Amino acid sequence: MQQNKKILIVEDDRRIAETLKKGLLKMEYDVENAFDGNLGLRMAIQSKFDLIILDINLPQMNGYEVCKRIREEKPFLPVLMLTALGEVEDKLEGFDVGVDDYMVKPFDFRELFARVSSLLRRTDFEPQPTGRILRVANLEVNIDSKKVFRDKKLINLTAREFDFLEYLIRNKGRVLSKMDIAEKIWDLNFDTSLNVIEVYVNFLRKKIDKGFEPKLIHTKLGMGYVLTDNP
């Protein structure tokens, strides 16, 4: 098994599920299948997995709801949504409930394996030894506990949102281009038909800045984004 990494595939099409499982086993991952949303959710919560591959159209409970419930219990468990639903609205809803990556069927196995590897590498990330608590104004990010506070109020972030915020705060005052962010946070080329970075900036602004002062996340037109309390 590849570093003992364990993957759960939640997919009701047994042919697709078994094909995925066979391919991932060849990559030396430990893999289990669930064929409906209720079972997938129960397995994801009760057992230890390093990654969930999740369809949307599932019996008993759809993938959006499964992901939302997983996020309530295990906010940092990576979720890759793999589905035939490829409209922008479908993808936005997926990111809104907290998926870390989104792929549309039919797919190329090479790209799937690259995305799986990228998400699993993130779980191996060791925080940089530049301080376990990062602060800007009244924003506090605890690298060890993965907790974020704004004006002493706990802010719940998904794993991807936390990574994005940590990258912004470690680069306080520096304008980061979309290419900088994509290479650091996504680690590969993602779907260019959807501006994922703008979507995540909006997610962070709603959670980090809305209702708080000073505003910390700023857009520099034509250049990128910067986190600062002194724009």
Side-chain angles (χ1 to χ4, degrees):
M1 292 179 289
Q2 188 155 189
Q3 297 181 337
N4 298 317
K5 296 295 186 181
K6 191 172 182 180
I7 298 173
L8 174 64
I9 300 169
V10 189
E11 167 64 68
D12 65 316
D13 186 319
R14 291 176 181 261
R15 180 184 59 82
I16 293 175
E18 290 301 328
T19 300
L20 282 170
K21 183 175 182 178
K22 184 181 297 185
L24 290 167
L25 286 172
K26 286 183 179 178
M27 299 293 291
E28 298 186 342
Y29 294 112
D30 185 9
V31 186
E32 293 189 27
N33 285 342
F35 301 110
D36 65 70
N38 282 344
L39 177 59
L41 175 63
R42 188 162 65 250
M43 292 174 68
I45 297 303
Q46 295 179 356
S47 302
K48 184 184 184 305
F49 289 95
D50 298 289
L51 173 69
I52 310 296
I53 297 177
L54 179 65
D55 191 12
I56 294 177
N57 291 326
L58 295 166
Q60 301 185 28
M61 183 185 299
N62 69 46
Y64 294 130
E65 184 63 24
V66 172
C67 184
K68 185 178 178 180
R69 299 274 292 276
I70 289 173
R71 284 285 166 259
E72 293 171 356
E73 299 292 332
K74 296 184 176 182
F76 291 96
L77 175 60
V79 177
L80 168 62
M81 193 158 270
L82 182 64
T83 175
L85 301 180
E87 297 298 320
V88 169
E89 291 76 13
D90 302 317
K91 297 177 183 180
L92 289 174
E93 186 170 356
F95 287 118
D96 195 43
V97 297
V99 302
D100 296 282
D101 205 349
Y102 195 111
M103 285 190 67
V104 178
K105 303 171 185 173
F107 57 91
D108 188 312
F109 268 99
R110 293 169 298 178
E111 182 180 1
L112 174 69
F113 295 146
R115 290 177 183 242
V116 165
S117 297
S118 176
L119 288 171
L120 289 173
R121 278 198 301 273
R122 200 187 66 213
T123 64
D124 294 328
F125 173 72
E126 292 295 334
Q128 300 175 31
T130 56
R132 294 302 191 181
I133 296 181
L134 306 176
R135 293 185 180 90
V136 176
N138 54 0
L139 172 68
E140 180 177 295
V141 177
N142 189 307
I143 301 301
D144 292 323
S145 68
K146 305 295 185 184
K147 290 183 178 180
V148 176
F149 296 89
R150 185 78 200 263
D151 203 15
K152 299 184 179 180
K153 178 182 178 182
L154 179 64
I155 307 293
N156 292 315
L157 300 182
T158 67
R160 185 77 75 178
E161 289 168 348
F162 186 91
D163 288 349
F164 196 172
L165 179 61
E166 181 184 352
Y167 183 54
L168 288 172
I169 198 172
R170 287 192 184 278
N171 288 275
K172 176 189 173 185
R174 176 188 168 202
V175 178
L176 301 170
S177 71
K178 291 182 180 180
M179 184 63 69
D180 292 332
I181 296 167
E183 290 178 351
K184 178 63 178 180
I185 306 302
W186 273 264
D187 197 32
L188 47 84
N189 293 323
F190 47 80
D191 189 350
T192 55
S193 68
L194 178 66
N195 199 329
V196 177
I197 293 173
E198 287 186 4
V199 170
Y200 270 83
V201 168
N202 288 334
F203 287 165
L204 282 181
R205 280 180 169 147
K206 287 179 182 178
K207 295 183 178 183
I208 299 301
D209 275 345
K210 187 176 181 181
F212 298 102
E213 293 294 338
K215 304 305 180 190
L216 297 177
I217 302 173
H218 304 275
T219 300
K220 297 296 183 181
L221 292 178
M223 294 183 285
Y225 302 97
V226 58
L227 187 146
T228 180
D229 56 351
N230 186 28

